[in-house]
Amino acid sequence: MAHLTSQVCIVTGGSRGIGRAICLELAAHGATVVACARDGAKLADVAREARERELPGVIEPCVLDINDGAAIDTVVSEVAEKHGRIDVLVNNAGITRDGLMASMEDEAFDAVINANLRAAFQLSRAVTKHMMRARRGRIINIASVAGVMGNPGQCNYAASKAGLIGMTKSIAKELARRNITCNAVAPGFIETDMTDVLPDKVKEGVLPLIPMRRFGRSEEIATVVSFLAGEGASYINGQVLVVDGGLYM
Ligand code: NDP
């Protein structure tokens, strides 16, 4: 059960949805999890849940806006200093600013690229120096089937996730010799705040396309991330694990 004991993991977007489930799953396997997001109260709530469930690991709340590159470097340095190691980075935080391409403002495009792609680059760069020194590490990027298939109304989001997949493969090739792997998980439709806001018409239109005929749960992504973080995934590198009930195949 506790295959991540003594591992130090940084998870972005740990306050809600998939990130919250990832933090709890990693803590359930004994990890010390630095859960980052902007909403400190929600992060404290996740940490409380870990304590109440008496999970073997610990969740440490960390208020961080991933649009602040300097803050990213500070957080990573502080984690490395406090714990002496960073074993796993999960780039999970992400946003949508949906709209049709023909009428999308530059600002909506840039905001999504910066949060979903640039921040993942900056975080990966920041942890890499610590992982290289240790000659071990795992970087796990939460992409999306939108980055593989495209999705109308999401040209910015799909571009950010396709970019994340390309970055994953490049990092995987750059760092493999240092025993650092980099993989992506591409969820399909998962029940979270992000999909809650979709109009019923859109949700009803998607369901028949999913062979399993249901949206996924955050925990069904978290278990995959936990697997990729553990020893059992030691020879998996540069892959995109699609977790979508069969939507894309
Ligand atoms: P939610 O909207 O439920 O949660 C998003 C998380 O990202 C929150 O914890 C939020 O924290 C954090 N976040 C957003 N902006 C920032 C920021 N500027 N700085 C720090 N943290 C930020 O999303 P999901 O849980 O659904 O999605 C998680 C990931 O999974 C995303 O990358 C998403 O693209 C991806 N994904 C989701 C799918 C789905 O169907 N739900 C499908 C495919 C991929 P806070 O607001 O507290 O800062």
Side-chain angles (χ1 to χ4, degrees):
M1 182 71 179
H3 73 277
L4 298 173
T5 302
S6 84
Q7 302 267 295
V8 175
C9 310
I10 297 177
V11 179
T12 63
S15 59
R16 293 183 276 127
I18 294 171
R20 178 188 171 104
I22 292 170
C23 290
L24 290 165
E25 182 69 19
L26 296 179
H29 287 284
T32 296
V33 184
V34 180
C36 307
R38 291 163 302 183
D39 189 332
K42 285 214 171 83
L43 290 172
D45 202 49
V46 186
R48 193 175 317 120
E49 181 172 337
R51 285 194 301 274
E52 282 170 6
R53 284 170 52 190
E54 298 183 355
L55 298 181
V58 179
I59 294 180
E60 297 183 352
C62 172
V63 174
L64 170 69
D65 183 341
I66 52 162
N67 289 313
D68 183 344
I72 284 176
D73 287 340
T74 303
V75 162
V76 170
S77 298
E78 285 174 359
V79 173
E81 194 160 320
K82 178 174 176 192
H83 296 288
R85 59 194 289 167
I86 299 173
D87 300 282
V88 179
L89 167 67
V90 184
N91 285 308
N92 162 79
I95 60 166
T96 51
R97 289 282 296 278
D98 294 354
L100 293 174
M101 184 275 291
S103 52
M104 186 175 289
E105 305 276 355
D106 290 352
E107 192 273 324
F109 189 85
D110 291 346
V112 170
I113 296 290
N114 288 343
N116 296 3
L117 183 56
R118 192 186 63 173
F121 153 67
Q122 290 172 322
L123 274 148
S124 302
R125 182 179 60 188
V127 299
T128 291
K129 100 170 158 232
H130 303 284
M131 291 179 176
M132 278 172 54
R133 213 171 288 142
R135 296 192 83 80
R136 65 194 302 274
R138 299 281 159 87
I139 298 173
I140 301 164
N141 294 321
I142 308 301
S144 167
V145 283
V148 183
M149 303 167 69
N151 201 23
Q154 291 200 311
C155 73
N156 50 356
Y157 182 79
S160 73
K161 297 300 189 178
L164 197 54
I165 289 170
M167 189 169 82
T168 298
K169 294 177 181 177
S170 301
I171 293 173
K173 288 183 175 178
E174 283 185 25
L175 299 182
R177 273 175 300 168
R178 313 283 186 136
N179 195 30
I180 300 166
T181 64
C182 184
N183 291 289
V185 176
F189 286 81
I190 310 298
E191 286 167 358
T192 67
D193 293 349
M194 189 176 271
T195 47
D196 247 17
V197 297
L198 293 174
D200 284 345
K201 214 175 73 182
V202 173
K203 290 187 199 169
E204 283 158 19
V206 165
L207 269 181
L209 305 175
I210 304 172
M212 291 187 77
R213 295 289 189 276
R214 66 171 177 86
F215 281 18
R217 297 184 304 276
S218 293
E219 292 73 19
E220 293 176 305
I221 304 301
T223 48
V224 176
V225 171
S226 167
F227 164 67
L228 286 173
E231 254 321 288
S234 53
Y235 201 52
I236 300 180
N237 192 30
Q239 299 305 303
V240 183
L241 258 84
V242 177
V243 185
D244 67 351
L247 172 65
Y248 173 79
M249 63 171 98

